[in-house]
Amino acid sequence: MTAWGVAMPTVSAVDLAVHSPSGRHTIGFTLREGVPHYRVSYDETVILADSQLSLDIAGDSFGGPFVIEGTRTDSRRSSWTPVAGSKASYPDAYNETVVELREATGKQRRLDLTFRAYDEGVAFRYTIAEQAEIADFVIQSDNSEFQFTDDHFVYWDDYPQARYSKVRISTMGDHAIRPLLVECGSHFVALAEAGSLENYAPMMLNRSRDNCLVTRFRRGNVAGTSPQSTPWRVVMVADAPGTLVENHYLLQNLSPPCEFDDTSWIQPGKVWRSSLTTRGAKAIIDYAAANNYQYVHYDAGWYGPERDAKSDPLTVIDDIDMKEVIRYADEHEIGLICYINKIAMSRYDLDKTFRTYQQWGIRGVKMGFVDWQSQSDMEFLFSAIKKAAEHRLVVDIHDNFRLTGIERTYPHVLTVEGILGNEELPQKGNPPENVLTTSFARMIAGAGDFTPCFLNGRVVSRSFQLALGVVFYSPLQYLHWYDQADQYAGKSFPELEFWQQMPTTWDDSKVVHGSIGDYMTVARKKGDSWFVGTIVNGARSLEIPLNFLGRGSYTAKIYAEDPDSKKRVIVESRSVTSDDSLTATMSSGSGHAIWISPAPSSSAGTKLRN
């Protein structure tokens, strides 16, 4: 880290630079005529030119002119182990500078700006220091600019379950949600938000002047009491878009550590949704127990019409004998997850509801109708997350929410939606091209509940569906979303061995190669085994190098598209080493999956647990 000209308070130009441990990422700070600006470079290429920083507090701009009262520096070189992760451990190494500012005139209020540089990206945030001048405050606008150097392409969406559009900054809609993926020449950039939003409003990105985006609250203001820090604004840069996906853990690095001493009750796994009957749940429990699945799920409607405010979440419809289902599930070592939406969570005593679920033996909740627009939305959601933890319920959050790294703090939040998944028909709003944009742009934020299915009529290619379980990282992996167990009775689908053996948390994850909207290959490791998933938009053959394997010989079980029918999968095995490559040949909108385990092949029968 380097700093110049900060010995004396001044309102003239002041420069500081914070470099990542590798030196590739740099975030700089400039105080120009007392107004804070920052800039970002990567390998000495300017990614963001001077971009202004300010807050509007109760209509009074808190953006300068400032003087610098001092600076503080810090650094870290460490790693940490997630409860449920895409890797066994995440590196956590950065350099940091805190710039302590005071207004040069008027109220002389104090504001700290913190700048961090990681090898995965850079981040900054505001801290309103404790002071009588701003004891209680209302932030009307958070004005953090992102000044790009050209009218780059962005992969734009303005709603968490919207279809992506590739457009120029100048032609995108008035605002975008995060993360936002940007093509900057030969580099790929993600703008994101990280850290706790419990007392803040989520950000969106508005178009401003030429090639510039600026943060705004999605709705309302933010009320607070000093001292208070904002969430981090994050700029991730990489040479390949898949690297941004691999580095999703940066958002967790910028979040507080785990709140819990005991996390043994937090169990990831594979989930199959049941029909709203006792018989349907028992049939899926039988399948789950025999095929290395961990959960059965009751979705909307199990306690009554989901949109009816009179539907009490402690009632059960007549077709479900809840006590018997939980008894049967426990007997087979399968957990039950149940849906509950915000209507029921807000209208009924949530502590009583979750306490009762724990007493019944329910293992998790899927929260529906979740809003993420305002400070009050976040306060409600975080209270529900904490309440679920008190009663040892794992959580899946659906609808309008994307992760900001909070799964580090609250690791029982195993997955979230905020994604246009398999619930949308491929021939309508979610064709393969959009899936292959989502697998890059959305997954920068972390786990995504894509809800793949397999036999449902909306499935175009079953090898594509198999691969989704690896391409889309989700510690709670909902599979067979539109399928029921009786569809499988008396039939053989040998290719489902891939899902049977596939874990949902990993020791390592790599994006082998990919192009946004075109193709993607992801390889994930658990123990000594690797699972590889490839999906494509247009027809192509891809060479998949196996150089991620360790020494020795392996058996690769390949699940490939049948050239005569996308609805069939051909299964074959071959011996491979790390020097080999495998060719995946796929027609348009299809996929390819590989399960690689150490030779001899007898080891392939070992079940892999999460």
Side-chain angles (χ1 to χ4, degrees):
M1 291 176 286
T2 56
W4 303 272
V6 297
M8 297 292 290
T10 178
V11 295
S12 61
V14 174
D15 289 321
L16 300 120
V18 186
H19 305 289
S20 65
S22 68
R24 301 191 73 184
H25 286 84
T26 300
I27 184 167
F29 169 76
T30 302
L31 194 62
R32 291 169 39 200
E33 297 303 319
V35 178
H37 290 73
Y38 79 100
R39 58 192 175 274
V40 175
S41 61
Y42 177 76
D43 284 345
E44 300 184 356
T45 297
V46 175
I47 301 298
L48 296 176
D50 281 356
S51 306
Q52 189 169 324
L53 300 172
S54 69
L55 301 173
D56 284 342
I57 296 185
D60 183 8
S61 177
F62 198 15
F66 288 103
V67 296
I68 294 179
E69 290 205 318
T71 62
R72 307 189 305 272
T73 61
D74 192 11
S75 64
R76 174 177 293 177
R77 304 290 186 271
S78 64
S79 63
W80 59 280
T81 300
V83 174
S86 62
K87 297 177 183 287
S89 67
Y90 294 140
D92 187 7
Y94 62 80
N95 293 320
E96 174 185 280
T97 292
V98 179
V99 182
E100 301 168 344
L101 302 173
R102 182 185 290 276
E103 288 177 313
T105 60
K107 299 177 182 178
Q108 298 193 359
R109 298 169 297 183
R110 290 179 290 125
L111 178 69
D112 292 348
L113 297 174
T114 303
F115 300 95
R116 278 190 190 175
Y118 294 78
D119 287 341
E120 298 83 0
V122 300
F124 63 89
R125 69 176 176 182
Y126 307 82
T127 298
I128 299 175
E130 186 174 6
Q131 55 199 293
E133 294 83 359
I134 323 178
D136 299 301
F137 57 83
V138 175
I139 303 175
Q140 293 189 334
S141 184
D142 177 331
N143 312 309
S144 303
E145 293 183 348
F146 301 87
Q147 180 63 63
F148 288 96
T149 58
D150 202 351
D151 191 14
H152 298 303
F153 280 113
V154 299
Y155 294 88
W156 173 75
D157 66 337
D158 63 351
Y159 179 72
Q161 297 177 71
R163 184 172 175 173
Y164 284 96
S165 300
K166 183 180 181 181
V167 295
R168 297 283 185 181
I169 294 173
S170 60
T171 58
M172 76 176 220
D174 291 338
H175 62 267
I177 57 172
R178 43 80 171 153
L180 182 67
L181 178 57
V182 187
E183 286 190 17
C184 295
S186 61
H187 299 119
F188 295 86
V189 177
L191 305 183
E193 182 173 31
S196 176
L197 270 78
E198 182 174 1
N199 298 300
Y200 216 73
M203 81 170 189
M204 59 183 180
L205 295 157
N206 282 19
R207 280 193 295 113
S208 184
R209 59 181 181 272
D210 288 350
N211 309 327
C212 185
L213 302 174
V214 62
T215 58
R216 290 289 186 265
F217 299 137
R218 292 196 71 207
R219 189 177 68 204
N221 303 319
V222 169
T225 301
S226 62
Q228 181 168 325
S229 295
T230 69
W232 295 91
R233 278 65 181 102
V234 185
V235 184
M236 302 167 67
V237 191
D239 298 318
T243 304
L244 299 176
V245 177
E246 290 180 12
N247 293 344
H248 71 88
Y249 59 83
L250 176 60
L251 306 187
Q252 296 184 58
N253 287 349
L254 289 159
S255 300
C258 179
E259 283 281 326
F260 315 133
D261 294 327
D262 178 16
T263 60
S264 61
W265 56 276
I266 302 172
Q267 297 297 321
K270 289 167 286 192
V271 193
W272 190 334
R273 178 175 68 161
S274 172
S275 63
L276 299 180
T277 63
T278 302
R279 179 177 174 273
K282 284 187 170 184
I284 288 176
I285 289 167
D286 288 339
Y287 184 98
N291 290 279
N292 191 27
Y293 286 48
Q294 287 70 42
Y295 293 99
V296 63
H297 173 77
Y298 274 141
D299 207 58
W302 71 268
Y303 59 81
E306 63 174 327
R307 297 181 184 275
D308 188 344
K310 296 180 181 179
S311 292
D312 185 338
L314 293 181
T315 63
V316 183
I317 61 174
D318 292 341
D319 288 339
I320 297 174
D321 183 340
M322 185 64 78
K323 183 177 180 180
E324 173 59 16
V325 168
I326 293 173
R327 183 203 66 77
Y328 195 76
D330 287 346
E331 182 180 279
H332 289 78
E333 298 183 348
I334 302 298
L336 176 65
I337 297 174
C338 289
Y339 174 92
I340 181 172
N341 63 32
K342 188 176 180 181
I343 297 172
M345 288 193 293
S346 60
R347 287 183 60 89
Y348 293 85
D349 183 335
L350 191 59
D351 182 69
K352 179 181 178 181
T353 298
F354 284 174
R355 183 173 64 252
T356 303
Y357 288 177
Q358 182 184 27
Q359 291 169 349
W360 285 355
I362 291 173
R363 306 278 186 85
V365 288
K366 171 185 163 184
M367 300 177 181
F369 294 177
V370 170
D371 295 320
W372 70 311
Q373 298 189 65
S374 67
Q375 181 182 16
S376 61
D377 289 338
M378 291 297 95
E379 289 170 346
F380 178 85
L381 178 60
F382 273 77
S383 69
I385 289 171
K386 292 178 180 180
K387 190 63 62 179
E390 288 178 25
H391 300 290
R392 298 201 163 198
L393 300 169
V394 298
V395 173
D396 176 6
I397 302 173
H398 259 234
D399 301 310
N400 304 322
F401 185 73
R402 289 178 179 172
L403 290 166
T404 58
I406 64 169
E407 67 272 36
R408 179 184 186 184
T409 314
Y410 303 106
H412 65 302
V413 179
L414 290 173
T415 194
V416 304
E417 192 180 23
I419 197 169
L420 190 64
N422 241 165
E423 292 178 309
E424 188 68 39
L425 291 166
Q427 61 268 38
K428 291 186 179 179
N430 200 19
E433 181 182 11
N434 190 65
V435 177
L436 277 153
T437 303
T438 304
S439 62
F440 289 97
R442 159 60 180 84
M443 298 309 289
I444 294 165
D449 189 2
F450 197 83
T451 57
C453 47
F454 192 72
L455 291 184
N456 185 268
R458 69 187 58 218
V459 171
V460 176
S461 163
R462 289 181 183 159
S463 56
F464 184 97
Q465 297 301 111
L466 286 180
L468 292 177
V470 173
V471 170
F472 285 92
Y473 163 66
S474 183
L476 271 185
Q477 189 68 259
Y478 276 76
L479 304 170
H480 304 279
W481 183 249
Y482 287 105
D483 304 334
Q484 290 302 310
D486 57 8
Q487 296 175 266
Y488 294 80
K491 301 175 183 177
S492 176
F493 300 97
E495 65 270 25
L496 285 175
E497 174 188 44
F498 184 77
W499 278 357
Q500 176 190 11
Q501 296 294 335
M502 178 187 75
T504 65
T505 60
W506 307 93
D507 296 331
D508 198 8
S509 294
K510 301 177 182 297
V511 178
V512 177
H513 44 41
S515 174
I516 303 167
D518 293 330
Y519 66 93
M520 188 178 200
T521 298
V522 179
R524 302 191 191 274
K525 181 185 181 184
K526 188 74 169 185
D528 294 326
S529 295
W530 286 85
F531 293 78
V532 185
T534 300
I535 56 176
V536 298
N537 180 31
R540 66 171 64 231
S541 290
L542 288 170
E543 289 297 313
I544 302 174
L546 304 183
N547 53 10
F548 48 79
L549 296 177
R551 294 181 179 179
S553 297
Y554 292 80
T555 298
K557 208 153 193 184
I558 302 165
Y559 308 83
E561 173 192 355
D562 187 329
D564 295 327
S565 173
K566 289 185 177 182
K567 294 292 181 68
R568 292 197 295 267
V569 178
I570 295 173
V571 184
E572 60 177 338
S573 297
R574 56 173 290 186
S575 296
V576 296
T577 70
S578 60
D579 294 327
D580 293 324
S581 294
L582 294 174
T583 302
T585 300
M586 296 152 285
S587 63
S588 60
S590 196
H592 186 273
I594 314 168
W595 169 32
I596 306 174
S597 56
S601 59
S602 59
S603 64
T606 302
K607 289 185 178 180
L608 297 175
R609 297 292 181 179
N610 284 289

